[in-house]
Amino acid sequence: MESSSSSSTTAIAVSGVDSAIMRSTLIMTAPASASTMTTTKLSDTPTGAETATQNGTTYTTPKDQGGTDKYKHIFAIHAKARPSTLSHDSIATPSFIGFRNLMVLVLIVGNLRLVIENFMKYGVLIQLSGAEFRKDDVQMGLLLYCLIPVHLFIGYIIELVASMHARSAQAHNKKHDNKDPKLRAAWKWIAFAHAVNATLSLSVASGIVYFKIHHPLIGSLCQFHAAITWLKQLSYAFTCRDLRDAFLEGTPTPEIYRSCAYPKNITLSNLCYFWWAPTLVYQPVYPRSPEFRWNFFLKRVGETIGLSIAIWFLTVQYAAPVLTNSLAALGSMNLPIILERLMKLSTVSLVIWLCGFFALFQSFLNALAELLRFGDREFYTDWWNSISVGRYWRTWNKPVNSFMRRHIYTPLLARGWSQASASLVVFTFSAVMHELLVGVPTHNIIGVAFAGMMFQVPLVAMTAPLEKMRGQASALGNSIFWISFCLVGQPLCIMSYFLSWHIKFGSMGKGLPPQGQTV
């Protein structure tokens, strides 16, 4: 009997040991947030018991008499000091993707609700008063749009003549002397021809848009095309002039230019590539991508089309009713209602602006770059994180910023100008261009766009010290940037030109211009 009882006891103990080893229930049931724990089987522990070690302390969990593991509620959940995730003491910076997605959903739902509300009130295709499409506008716009690039090719002819002079001078002058009086006189005539061509390019196009094209959308497309072509003309003339001087004087040029050194770059094919390239800065050679990707190209084209439709829909179904309903308050200078309309307009103008940014800089320019295999596609950087107004202007529109830096800002510094004076010239130039791009198509040169750009100068100076700070200072600078652009700047500018349009052509004016034949 004793032998039988001893064998039975031994079998139960062995069974308990095997069961404890296989299941390891102590570890499996521990909370995920607890510290790392190890389970061991010690020879001196009670039969069937498990031990767990946590932070150097060993805990023993015996089996109950029923043969099942008994969980002990003694593990240390709070084993070390840990900061809150959103506090400044947090070691790892958390991701805010969830909050970003929430903000996007809030913007979409909030604006979509107002779009549906306006659709129920006014229907679809709300038209700006006095801005009906006229057949004359369409015909004149198409003609002007096609004729604008002619000035770029006139600049090519001027530079072709200059390259012939440079070849002849280089062949007869082995000392690479570029100071011959006759040669310098020729360069002055070349510069004069470029100046006249560029001046006529922008002034003629602006005059036609202002006096001959009534519809603001058609006029804006032509005016933007004229401004882009004009800037390309200036860059082409300035760059070719310096390449010509380097050719005659034997000074080195950037390594990337070696495959198409001056005057080999003065060809129609080279000019046509620059004409379509997504840049405002001329170079004889650009970095090229290795291959053309159809999938990438078609996706970018689809994004451009889809976002353009979204911008149009938000404009006619949301922005137009808000602006129309603000006319009475603007006419009577009812400041509380104007402020309410301004804040309501700020949401849709922000959404339209963000859609326009993505459609132009991410989708359209990338599609164009892919088509031309244009390699340098840094059309923008993280401007949304700007902690100063100056940083925003340096990062959000890199093609324009590169033009300003290369052809205006840096040359002025080289001539001895201070950084403040050179920056003031750059902002003045940009202010004039903004007024031409907004005031000419709307037939209201009232100076609001010009003043808005010039107001950036004190904002840049005020927020510049914040670029060297961190923490709350960076948050303050970013808030100033968003408020100045989204809550005050853009909505106020839009409302001002909308009011001027209605005073001149719309319901607040004395009469409308002849409508002509609509299409």
Side-chain angles (χ1 to χ4, degrees), residues 230-308:
W230 181 66
L231 295 176
K232 283 178 178 280
Q233 287 177 247
L234 296 180
S235 183
Y236 187 75
F238 287 141
T239 306
C240 287
R241 179 200 63 187
D242 289 349
L243 288 174
R244 189 191 323 129
D245 291 343
F247 171 72
L248 291 173
E249 296 171 2
T251 55
T253 56
E255 182 68 25
I256 193 175
Y257 298 173
R258 298 295 175 85
S259 61
C260 190
Y262 185 90
K264 294 181 180 179
N265 64 304
I266 310 300
T267 61
L268 276 176
S269 59
N270 187 274
L271 177 71
C272 288
Y273 186 88
F274 173 57
W275 175 26
W276 286 97
T279 179
L280 299 175
V281 174
Y282 173 72
Q283 292 182 188
V285 182
Y286 296 96
R288 303 293 292 273
S289 55
E291 60 181 0
F292 174 75
R293 300 167 294 177
W294 271 107
N295 289 339
F296 181 89
F297 174 74
L298 293 176
K299 286 179 181 178
R300 302 291 83 79
V301 171
E303 290 171 356
T304 304
I305 296 173
L307 288 170
S308 299

Side-chain angles (χ1 to χ4, degrees), residues 318-379:
Y318 187 168
V322 172
L323 288 167
T324 302
N325 293 335
S326 66
L327 290 176
L330 289 170
S332 61
M333 292 303 295
N334 191 326
L335 294 181
I337 297 180
I338 292 175
L339 182 60
E340 185 271 335
R341 295 285 98 183
L342 197 65
M343 296 178 68
K344 191 173 183 179
L345 182 63
S346 65
T347 58
V348 67
S349 66
L350 173 61
V351 174
I352 292 174
W353 180 46
L354 292 176
C355 289
F357 158 76
F358 198 93
L360 176 60
F361 292 100
Q362 175 61 25
S363 301
F364 176 75
L365 292 184
N366 265 293
L368 189 59
E370 188 68 23
L371 189 65
L372 298 175
R373 292 175 52 198
F374 188 85
D376 187 3
R377 304 184 185 185
E378 191 182 57
F379 305 122

Side-chain angles (χ1 to χ4, degrees), residues 150-166 185-201 233-234 236-238 240-241 244 262-263 266-268 271:
V150 170
H151 290 274
L152 191 60
F153 288 92
I154 294 175
Y156 159 74
I157 295 174
I158 295 171
E159 200 54 45
L160 183 62
V161 174
S163 68
M164 294 178 181
H165 280 279
W187 297 158
K188 289 182 180 180
W189 280 108
I190 293 296
F192 177 75
H194 274 303
V196 171
N197 179 50
T199 302
L200 290 175
S201 172
Q233 287 177 247
L234 296 180
Y236 187 75
F238 287 141
C240 287
R241 179 200 63 187
R244 189 191 323 129
Y262 185 90
I266 310 300
T267 61
L268 276 176
L271 177 71

Side-chain angles (χ1 to χ4, degrees), residues 361-415:
F361 292 100
Q362 175 61 25
S363 301
F364 176 75
L365 292 184
N366 265 293
L368 189 59
E370 188 68 23
L371 189 65
L372 298 175
R373 292 175 52 198
F374 188 85
D376 187 3
R377 304 184 185 185
E378 191 182 57
F379 305 122
Y380 60 92
T381 54
D382 59 337
W383 55 266
W384 48 89
N385 292 325
S386 298
I387 60 176
S388 70
V389 177
R391 187 177 183 274
Y392 164 76
W393 288 112
R394 293 192 300 269
T395 55
W396 104 276
N397 189 341
K398 294 300 289 290
V400 171
N401 177 261
S402 298
F403 178 92
M404 298 291 189
R405 187 177 67 251
R406 188 189 195 195
H407 297 302
I408 299 178
Y409 183 77
T410 305
L412 290 177
L413 294 181
R415 291 174 179 268

Side-chain angles (χ1 to χ4, degrees), residues 1 14 18 22 35 48 56 76 82 91 112 151 164 177 210 218 227 266 290 298 344 407 411 493 505 512:
M1 293 293 292
V14 172
D18 293 339
M22 291 179 64
S35 303
R82 291 172 296 186
I91 299 175
L112 186 59
H151 290 274
M164 294 178 181
D177 187 11
Y210 190 84
I218 299 175
I266 310 300
L298 293 176
K344 191 173 183 179
H407 297 302
C493 183
F505 301 117
L512 298 176

Side-chain angles (χ1 to χ4, degrees), residues 448-494:
V448 174
F450 178 87
M453 279 302 302
M454 295 306 297
F455 185 68
Q456 303 303 307
V457 177
L459 280 178
V460 170
M462 183 177 68
T463 58
L466 301 178
E467 294 189 40
K468 302 178 182 179
M469 302 180 184
R470 294 293 184 268
Q472 294 181 353
S474 61
L476 175 62
N478 189 252
S479 299
I480 293 174
F481 150 66
W482 282 113
I483 291 173
S484 63
F485 277 86
C486 301
L487 187 60
V488 180
Q490 293 183 25
L492 187 60
C493 183
I494 294 170

